[in-house]
Amino acid sequence: MDPNANGGANESRVRSTLRPYLRQASVIIPKTGQRVRRTVTLGISPGLKRPNGNGAASENSPLLGLPNSRPKPSEAPRLLLKGVGRLYNNVIDFASSRTGKGVLKCSIAYLIGSLATFVPAIAAMLGQQDGKHMVATITVYFHPARSQGSMFEAVVLAIVAFAYAVFVGITSMGISIFFRRVVDLVVVGHIIVLVVFCGGGLGFVGWIKQRLGHPLVNISCSLTSLAIITIVTKEGAVQAARFSDDKIVQVLKMIVMGVIATTAVSFLICPVSARIDLRENLISFTDSLSEVLASTTGCFLGGSEEELRTLRYRTAMDKYKSQLASMEKNLVEAKYEHYIAGTEREFWLEAKLVDCMQRLAQDIGGLRSAATSQFLILAQPGLGISTGSCSGNDTGASSLENSTILEAIDETPETGESEPATKPALKGSTNSILTPGDVFAEFIEHLGPSIKSLAYTLRTVLDDLSFGPGPDYRFKVDIQYRSSLEAAVRLYSQSRQVALSKIYDTNDVNKDWSVDVEADFEEIAASCGVFSYALQDFAKEVINYLDVLDELKLEIEERPEGRTWGWLKVWRRKRGSKMLKDPGPVDAINTIDREADVLGNSPKPSHRSSITASASNDQKATHRYRLWKTLAIFRRDDTKFAIKVGAGAALYALPSFLSATRPFYQRFRGEWGLLSYMLVCSMTIGASNTTSYARFLGTCIGAVCAIIAWTLSGGNPFALAAFGWFMSFWTAYIIVAQGKGPMGRFIMLTYNLSALYAYSLSVKDLDDDDDEGGISPIITEITFHRTVAVLSGCVWGLIITRLIWPISARQKLKDGLSVLWLRMGLIWKRRPMECRLQGKTSNAYMDLEEELYLHKYLAQLEKLRDSAASEFSLRGPFPEASYKRLLASTGSMLDALHSMNIMILKETWLSPGEAAMLKLTTTERAQLSLRITHLFQVIASSIKLEYPLNDALPSIDHTRDRLLAKVFSFRKEEKSAVITSDEDFALLYSYALVTGQLAKAMKDIACELENLFGVLDEDNLKLQ
């Protein structure tokens, strides 16, 4: 007989004993609150249902289609009509979609904006100066395919941008007039204007752009840069030392016309409300949250991560992440709508809803972390526990050593078999070595029914929409849900306590084992315990979510306090009115040096080097050190960036102040080259390369389109308007649908500068009619001048970013990772559990503000990775994939620190059982903290110096095993002597799970660093 067949039969027989038997558990039905006893199902695996019929491919379908499937000649017309019909349906679907409506709105707004050039009456209102195309350009930059709240924000930013440009322009004129008419030093006045107002004013604009990093702020910075450049360098009033408000008034009129056109289109044609979008986000997010919860719970109970790799789960996760980010964006935009409508309190409650959603996402992260830990433990070999006899099998148990995946829990119908009368203490067979799967099967057999029952109740609540159907999405909150969830949580807590007592009362658990076996057993208990605690926290947060929904429903339907506009009463703002602030993401931290300074304000570790302290004290006594500290702001990267942007702008604008070079500056449209320079300049070399490429390519495309449009139209305004509408339509698709805003804006800006400017020349609407052909415009010369100006601005921007304080995204990314890892090591050195034991505040470990800065810093490093891919180096291409994995591992470590912080912040006092366990494990936790801190320092030094890691890295596994063994011994020996509940183990379980996640992430980082810097060059070892 084939031995393999016999072995397979034995393995199948053993697996049947490992399969956890799902007892019928008590379940709370959310809609009625009724407690029933049944077997529940979280969902059907996507693999159980496959599409069939209707021509769908099946397993038996030929790969290349059926034979003789080529259409006959007589069928060609039918297939052609079918293709045309499909195309027509796609066009109709796109036109009726939100994206299609947004593209159409953008094209209509542009058509209205272009009337300022084509309609003589409107053009006459703007005077005889050029630049009337700015009305159409404003409709492209502040496009109407946005929500009403975003339009309110855009209007505010446009007003601020214009006010700043007017301030710089008028002040420049005043300085020039003063130095010419009063002190008769025209050159000195021009130097001051050039350095302070042109260089300093534009440098400040660049700093604001990088500091805030908001898309609308970037557009506003472009608008104010254009206005400043036009007033200071092009108009000529500053150079002639005279006051002229012609250009200022014209710019004001153009901004008002453009903003009115785009706002009217946004509000009147298919208006979009951020408040409704936010409610759609909440509905979609709860649906995806329900799917992720069910899949994660099912994988944990089944011991297999196969479902986490399915397309359904990945789709749910992608939707879950995108909706979470979209919620924050829509909340910020909804704030403006609420403030204008006088519904501030409604906004505050919506902010609380989003906060609840974020905490639910954090709890889901805890569930996924516990499940991931389970999968890693299941991959380990046997625990070394030799079991006694078990009913059912006495042969073939050796196959368990290779069986590390739990079988799925049987889901029998409610009228199915009854429970077995007796069950073994730990499933196994005679003289066999238990695997982690065996111990997990025991835990899941007892904990599984209660976990699945609570997950079923939660999914039922999440699946029921909290809002009615669109477009109003009115509330439909079932008041029974809250009481049902509270009853489910109480039932779950009782069932979990009973289940754990059964597990720990078995004979096998109470035996004396080695430290390694005790640690392995307690690690399994920690994984199951953390999952069960996280599920309970998730349920409590859902209850809070329902409470906030009830408050929001009351506010919307009855509005007890009426409508308020308290945000206008600046003088009555109270301390702590933080709800008025933007609850979304805080402003991005844009520089590593500045981030380190900001993070340095958080609590510092108490252990410092005495040598460093004494040296610092000696230095502080000197005036040089005080001066060095005072000038620290000039060592920050954002300050350096502002200075070099201003210096480059002043040098580029210098020809406009010299009488010999001013004609050349005007002929080749130096103002557009200077604007291109401002758009190209970015913090890093890689970002500048990316922007300059998009700017130049968009300019070339726009110039070619302008030449074609002018040639075919012959200067006819109706034909040009039609060409402009078509141009705006497909560039709006690039901006709105594809998300390539800079490219689409650059194309339309060049088209406007060429085609619309040429039309203004042809109708004698400008003062300088003879320029570039006069009433017979030479379109090729016009586009040539614009293209040369844009190219010169791009090249000048690349020169400035590379020669003056160059900031490499590659080096900045490495330095940033090093600083972040060192910072995380110092945080862990504070010994989080010790803060609780010594009665210190929870902020002594890591406050929420510091944690927020760490996450924002990691997001900034992600942007640096994208920029680094655009930098060129003789050493070779940037290893983007490796750094992507490094950042992913860093993110998992930050999530681990966050999980620990959440556990610490939950309770402000320790129970007697928690205090006893913390005191018992003081030595192990201290050693574990020091080793983790050491590892953080090692990997930070490796990436900073670009040196490979040492082969003999310190390991935290043994120290962690001793910690878990101490917890095991406490449970077995000292639990009865101290008043200890099951919840008292949650803190140390979370600590053990977090240290395990840190250990795994550091191993992954070490492997990546070995791949990056695994070989030492002789140049690195030279003694020079």
Side-chain angles (χ1 to χ4, degrees):
M1 184 176 182
D2 187 3
N4 293 333
N6 188 20
N10 291 336
E11 182 176 354
S12 176
R13 196 162 51 246
V14 174
R15 276 189 172 273
S16 66
T17 64
L18 267 179
R19 180 189 296 263
Y21 186 90
L22 183 63
R23 306 183 310 276
Q24 291 183 357
S26 297
V27 183
I28 302 296
I29 304 300
K31 281 190 173 295
T32 62
Q34 182 183 6
R35 177 175 173 177
V36 298
R37 189 170 183 83
R38 63 171 56 171
T39 301
V40 297
T41 303
L42 292 180
I44 301 176
S45 172
L48 298 180
K49 289 187 176 182
R50 299 291 183 189
N52 50 54
N54 300 325
S58 65
E59 192 176 18
N60 299 323
S61 301
L63 184 63
L64 298 179
L66 296 175
N68 301 324
S69 59
R70 179 175 297 180
K72 299 179 181 179
S74 59
E75 297 179 350
R78 183 180 61 84
L79 294 178
L80 179 61
L81 291 177
K82 186 176 180 180
V84 172
R86 188 183 300 113
L87 178 62
Y88 174 79
N89 292 332
N90 292 337
V91 171
I92 295 298
D93 292 340
F94 175 76
S96 60
S97 66
R98 178 168 175 175
T99 302
K101 294 176 182 178
V103 171
L104 181 61
K105 289 166 64 175
C106 291
S107 62
I108 293 175
Y110 177 83
L111 183 61
I112 296 174
S114 64
L115 296 180
T117 302
F118 297 128
V119 177
I122 301 177
M125 296 174 56
L126 299 177
Q128 292 296 314
Q129 295 177 322
D130 63 353
K132 298 180 179 63
H133 58 79
M134 273 189 61
V135 180
T137 302
I138 289 173
T139 63
V140 174
Y141 274 61
F142 295 100
H143 64 78
R146 59 178 80 245
S147 67
Q148 296 173 356
S150 181
M151 282 306 305
F152 288 137
E153 185 181 9
V155 170
V156 172
L157 291 175
I159 294 173
V160 173
F162 172 75
Y164 178 74
V166 169
F167 168 76
V168 173
I170 293 179
T171 310
S172 301
M173 295 178 192
I175 291 295
S176 181
I177 293 173
F178 172 80
F179 275 91
R180 179 166 186 169
R181 298 182 182 179
V182 178
V183 296
D184 196 20
L185 294 173
V186 179
V187 176
V188 175
H190 287 176
I191 292 175
I192 293 176
V193 170
L194 189 63
V195 174
V196 177
F197 296 99
C198 185
L202 293 178
F204 179 73
V205 170
W207 182 84
I208 287 292
K209 180 180 177 180
Q210 294 295 326
R211 171 69 177 85
L212 299 182
H214 191 279
L216 277 177
V217 173
N218 296 343
I219 294 173
S220 302
C221 288
S222 301
L223 179 63
T224 193
S225 298
L226 176 59
I228 291 174
I229 292 168
T230 302
I231 295 173
V232 176
T233 69
K234 182 178 184 296
E235 186 184 20
V238 175
Q239 288 79 359
R242 59 181 175 83
F243 182 80
S244 173
D245 62 349
D246 294 343
K247 198 64 182 179
I248 295 176
V249 173
Q250 186 198 33
V251 170
L252 174 60
K253 291 179 180 179
M254 290 188 296
I255 290 178
V256 171
M257 289 181 179
V259 169
I260 289 177
T262 188
T263 304
V265 172
S266 178
F267 285 9
L268 298 179
I269 302 177
C270 302
V272 177
S273 173
R275 292 173 290 180
I276 294 179
D277 287 348
L278 181 60
R279 295 186 183 183
E280 290 179 352
N281 286 146
L282 292 173
I283 294 172
S284 300
F285 186 75
T286 51
D287 290 342
S288 57
L289 200 65
S290 170
E291 183 66 32
V292 173
L293 171 67
S295 299
T296 305
T297 305
C299 289
F300 181 82
L301 295 177
S304 171
E305 56 181 336
E306 291 181 0
E307 189 171 351
L308 300 184
R309 299 171 181 171
T310 60
L311 179 61
R312 184 182 71 167
Y313 181 80
R314 293 199 304 269
T315 303
M317 280 300 299
D318 292 340
K319 183 180 178 182
Y320 160 85
K321 294 177 181 178
S322 64
Q323 291 296 331
L324 187 61
S326 181
M327 268 196 302
E328 297 176 349
K329 169 183 170 293
N330 288 328
L331 182 62
V332 174
E333 297 176 0
K335 176 182 68 173
Y336 293 93
E337 297 182 14
H338 284 299
Y339 280 12
I340 297 296
T343 55
E344 294 169 300
R345 178 168 172 76
E346 186 178 336
F347 162 70
W348 298 340
L349 293 173
E350 288 180 353
K352 290 176 66 175
L353 274 183
V354 174
D355 187 55
C356 288
M357 291 291 99
Q358 291 174 338
R359 287 198 294 268
L360 285 173
Q362 294 166 358
D363 291 330
I364 281 290
L367 292 173
R368 295 180 70 246
S369 297
T372 303
S373 299
Q374 179 206 45
F375 304 145
L376 293 176
I377 297 170
L378 288 176
Q380 296 176 2
L383 302 180
I385 304 178
S386 178
T387 64
S389 61
C390 293
S391 60
N393 289 302
D394 56 358
T395 61
S398 60
S399 63
L400 288 175
E401 296 183 14
N402 297 324
S403 174
T404 59
I405 304 298
L406 292 175
E407 294 290 341
I409 293 179
D410 284 333
E411 296 185 3
T412 56
E414 189 172 353
T415 58
E417 303 174 7
S418 60
E419 290 187 44
T422 60
K423 286 185 175 63
L426 285 176
K427 293 183 182 296
S429 56
T430 307
N431 299 325
S432 65
I433 303 299
L434 285 180
T435 66
D438 301 326
V439 182
F440 261 119
E442 191 70 21
F443 272 94
I444 298 304
E445 180 180 357
H446 292 85
L447 289 174
S450 58
I451 289 177
K452 203 164 193 180
S453 298
L454 181 58
Y456 170 80
T457 303
L458 287 170
R459 182 169 192 183
T460 304
V461 172
L462 292 174
D463 283 341
D464 190 12
L465 298 180
S466 304
F467 303 93
D472 296 329
Y473 296 104
R474 296 186 179 277
F475 286 92
K476 58 168 195 174
V477 182
D478 195 327
I479 59 176
Q480 181 62 42
Y481 281 170
R482 191 184 193 284
S483 57
S484 298
L485 271 180
E486 288 179 337
V489 171
R490 288 193 299 269
L491 178 62
Y492 172 74
S493 181
Q494 296 170 1
S495 302
R496 183 184 62 191
Q497 188 173 359
V498 172
L500 291 177
S501 63
K502 289 181 180 180
I503 294 174
Y504 290 113
D505 287 342
T506 58
N507 293 328
D508 288 328
V509 174
N510 293 319
K511 290 181 181 180
D512 293 329
W513 304 105
S514 65
V515 173
D516 292 338
V517 173
E518 292 178 351
D520 291 338
F521 188 91
E522 204 62 35
E523 186 174 17
I524 296 171
S527 176
C528 295
V530 168
F531 189 93
S532 62
Y533 300 138
L535 186 62
Q536 184 173 353
D537 292 338
F538 185 90
K540 292 179 179 178
E541 199 56 51
V542 172
I543 294 176
N544 293 336
Y545 173 72
L546 293 177
D547 290 340
V548 179
L549 275 180
D550 192 52
E551 292 182 47
L552 186 57
K553 180 182 179 182
L554 176 65
E555 177 65 24
I556 292 176
E557 295 179 352
E558 301 183 10
R559 211 172 300 282
E561 300 179 3
R563 294 183 182 270
T564 60
W565 288 270
W567 59 277
L568 291 174
K569 304 174 184 178
V570 182
W571 60 92
R572 296 184 58 183
R573 289 188 182 179
K574 299 179 181 179
R575 183 197 311 172
S577 59
K578 295 182 179 179
M579 295 299 295
L580 291 176
K581 295 184 179 180
D582 184 357
V586 297
D587 297 333
I589 311 320
N590 291 289
T591 63
I592 292 172
D593 295 336
R594 183 180 181 280
E595 181 65 20
D597 293 339
V598 172
L599 294 179
N601 295 328
S602 57
K604 301 294 192 301
S606 57
H607 304 286
R608 299 169 183 260
S609 171
S610 59
I611 298 177
T612 304
S614 61
S616 177
N617 291 332
D618 292 339
Q619 289 178 341
K620 287 181 180 179
T622 65
H623 295 288
R624 288 182 299 173
Y625 180 77
R626 294 197 187 105
L627 179 62
W628 183 79
K629 290 290 290 181
T630 304
L631 299 177
I633 187 175
F634 294 102
R635 293 192 297 272
R636 287 171 21 181
D637 282 346
D638 56 346
T639 306
K640 293 179 180 179
F641 173 74
I643 292 174
K644 72 179 183 180
V645 168
L651 290 175
Y652 196 97
L654 179 61
S656 67
F657 285 84
L658 302 177
S659 57
T661 56
R662 181 168 175 78
F664 178 83
Y665 181 87
Q666 291 179 320
R667 178 173 179 78
F668 281 88
R669 307 300 170 183
E671 68 273 12
W672 296 110
L674 185 53
L675 178 63
S676 298
Y677 162 80
M678 289 297 300
L679 297 177
V680 163
C681 279
S682 299
M683 180 71 75
T684 61
I685 298 174
S688 297
N689 292 341
T690 303
T691 309
S692 60
Y693 172 77
R695 171 69 171 155
F696 184 71
L697 180 60
T699 299
C700 293
I701 295 175
V704 172
C705 292
I707 293 173
I708 295 174
W710 183 261
T711 303
L712 295 180
S713 67
N716 182 276
F718 297 99
L720 280 176
F723 273 112
W725 178 85
F726 176 75
M727 285 285 299
S728 64
F729 189 88
W730 72 271
T731 53
Y733 181 82
I734 295 175
I735 296 172
V736 177
Q738 296 183 347
K740 300 177 181 179
M743 176 65 73
R745 290 194 293 267
F746 292 156
I747 293 174
M748 286 308 300
L749 178 60
T750 306
Y751 177 83
N752 294 340
L753 284 173
S754 303
L756 300 188
Y757 175 80
Y759 178 79
S760 297
L761 281 179
S762 67
V763 296
K764 300 183 180 180
D765 198 23
L766 304 179
D767 290 335
D768 49 351
D769 288 345
D770 295 332
D771 187 26
E772 298 173 326
I775 61 174
S776 299
I778 305 174
I779 189 65
T780 53
E781 186 176 352
I782 294 174
T783 55
F784 173 73
H785 290 167
R786 271 63 175 176
T787 305
V788 170
V790 169
L791 179 60
S792 65
C794 294
V795 172
W796 182 245
L798 294 177
I799 291 174
I800 292 297
T801 54
R802 281 187 173 273
L803 296 185
I804 302 179
W805 288 317
I807 302 174
S808 171
R810 295 190 180 195
Q811 189 59 43
K812 196 174 178 67
L813 177 58
K814 295 174 185 177
D815 294 342
L817 279 172
S818 178
V819 170
L820 184 57
W821 291 341
L822 286 175
R823 189 68 188 175
M824 294 166 66
L826 291 176
I827 290 173
W828 195 260
K829 193 177 180 181
R830 298 169 192 166
R831 299 172 61 184
M833 297 292 99
E834 204 66 24
C835 298
R836 292 288 302 273
L837 188 59
Q838 295 176 0
K840 297 180 181 178
T841 62
S842 56
N843 289 340
Y845 163 60
M846 182 173 60
D847 58 21
L848 293 178
E849 183 179 2
E850 182 180 12
E851 181 183 347
L852 181 61
Y853 278 138
L854 291 175
H855 282 280
K856 290 299 174 184
Y857 193 30
L858 180 62
Q860 191 64 25
L861 294 181
E862 290 281 1
K863 296 180 181 179
L864 287 176
R865 179 180 63 84
D866 296 335
S867 299
S870 300
E871 292 184 356
F872 307 102
S873 175
L874 295 178
R875 297 175 59 181
F878 176 71
E880 186 176 4
S882 296
Y883 278 94
K884 183 178 181 179
R885 290 189 289 267
L886 285 177
L887 290 173
S889 299
T890 304
S892 65
M893 291 194 295
L894 276 180
D895 292 340
L897 293 180
H898 169 76
S899 302
M900 194 72 260
N901 199 28
I902 290 297
M903 290 300 300
I904 293 175
L905 293 174
K906 277 183 179 178
E907 300 177 2
T908 57
W909 58 277
L910 290 176
S911 66
E914 288 176 328
M917 281 188 286
L918 291 180
K919 290 179 181 178
L920 182 66
T921 58
T922 299
T923 303
E924 289 75 15
R925 287 186 292 103
Q927 294 176 356
L928 200 55
S929 295
L930 291 176
R931 292 205 172 200
I932 291 176
T933 303
H934 184 196
L935 283 174
F936 272 119
Q937 294 174 348
V938 168
I939 60 176
S941 302
S942 175
I943 197 169
K944 176 71 175 179
L945 300 175
E946 299 186 8
Y947 269 51
L949 293 171
N950 194 332
D951 293 337
L953 286 178
S955 174
I956 66 174
D957 294 337
H958 296 299
T959 308
R960 185 167 172 269
D961 287 347
R962 290 195 298 270
L963 171 68
L964 292 170
K966 277 288 186 72
V967 177
F968 184 89
S969 63
F970 176 86
R971 183 191 295 276
K972 186 172 63 175
E973 300 173 2
E974 303 182 27
K975 182 178 179 181
S976 57
V978 183
I979 302 177
T980 306
S981 65
D982 178 55
E983 285 77 9
D984 292 338
F985 290 87
L987 193 60
L988 270 178
Y989 278 169
S990 299
Y991 182 83
L993 198 64
V994 165
T995 53
Q997 293 171 355
L998 290 176
K1000 179 183 180 300
M1002 287 186 182
K1003 289 179 181 177
D1004 295 339
I1005 289 175
C1007 292
E1008 290 298 333
L1009 293 178
E1010 184 178 354
N1011 294 333
L1012 289 173
F1013 316 122
V1015 180
L1016 274 176
D1017 295 332
E1018 285 296 328
D1019 293 339
N1020 295 333
L1021 300 176
K1022 285 183 179 179
L1023 302 177
Q1024 297 179 352

